[in-house]
């Protein structure tokens, strides 16, 4: 269990992936006693165990422990699917993507450089349902129209892919 003291009002509890199994992280106000933190973790034990079980079956854990051969297979799958998706969506959205790239990334599903049109897609998307890959492609193509994630971007996503929030939630 990792405890971080910070300027917060409430104690928060998270279960994160770590080498050797899930790790419980606690953020607590500076004056919260260790005894109170331990009591909270004990009280929430069933929730912590459920989160740890969900995390253990998550594709994120599989991806973190992948061999280079597995990553190469994921890249092959994703790079075989993305060009067709881009080709299908470009005319619908009125955009033109530049170079497509594929990387094994830990903290993002894709990236877009609007100036060049370069789109990079995470190969780990091969571990998720196909609709998740399509969501990321549309998301990155929307960045060719709108750079940020503000109201205009969300309106574009709503227009082109009304169920994008449900697809995004499968990646979380």
């Amino acid at each position: 269990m990792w405890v971080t003291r910070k300027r917060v009002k409430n104690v928060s509890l998270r279960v994160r992936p770590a080498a050797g199994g899930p790790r419980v992280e606690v953020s607590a106000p500076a004056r919260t006693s260790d005894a109170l933190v331990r009591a909270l973790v004990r009280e929430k034990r069933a929730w912590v165990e459920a989160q740890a079980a969900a995390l253990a079956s998550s594709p994120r854990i599989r991806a973190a422990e992948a061999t280079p051969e597995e990553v190469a297979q994921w890249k092959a799958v994703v790079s075989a699917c993305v060009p067709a998706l881009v080709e299908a969506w470009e005319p619908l959205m009125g955009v033109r993507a530049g170079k497509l790239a594929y990387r094994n990334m830990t903290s993002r599903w894709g990236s877009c450089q609007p100036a060049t049109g370069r789109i990079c897609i995470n190969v780990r998307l091969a571990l998720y349902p196909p609709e998740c890959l399509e969501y990321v492609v549309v998301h990155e193509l929307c960045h060719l129209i709108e750079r940020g994630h503000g109201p205009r971007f969300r309106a574009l996503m709503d227009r082109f892919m009304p169920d994008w929030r449900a697809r995004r939630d499968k990646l979380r």
Side-chain angles (χ1 to χ4, degrees), residues 7-8 13-14 16 19 22 27 52 77 121 133 151 163 167-168:
R7 293 184 64 180
V8 293
L13 193 60
R14 288 170 304 285
R16 305 263 173 149
S27 297
V77 168
I121 303 292
L133 178 60
D163 67 338
R167 295 177 187 222
R168 179 197 60 194

Side-chain angles (χ1 to χ4, degrees), residues 105 108-112 119-122 125 136 139-140 143:
M105 300 182 278
R108 58 178 63 185
W109 295 114
S111 64
C112 177
I119 292 176
C120 186
I121 303 292
N122 192 337
L125 285 163
V136 172
H139 179 108
E140 300 310 331
H143 281 306

Side-chain angles (χ1 to χ4, degrees), residues 99-114:
K99 181 182 178 195
L100 297 175
Y102 309 96
R103 291 182 45 213
N104 183 21
M105 300 182 278
T106 58
S107 62
R108 58 178 63 185
W109 295 114
S111 64
C112 177
Q113 296 173 348

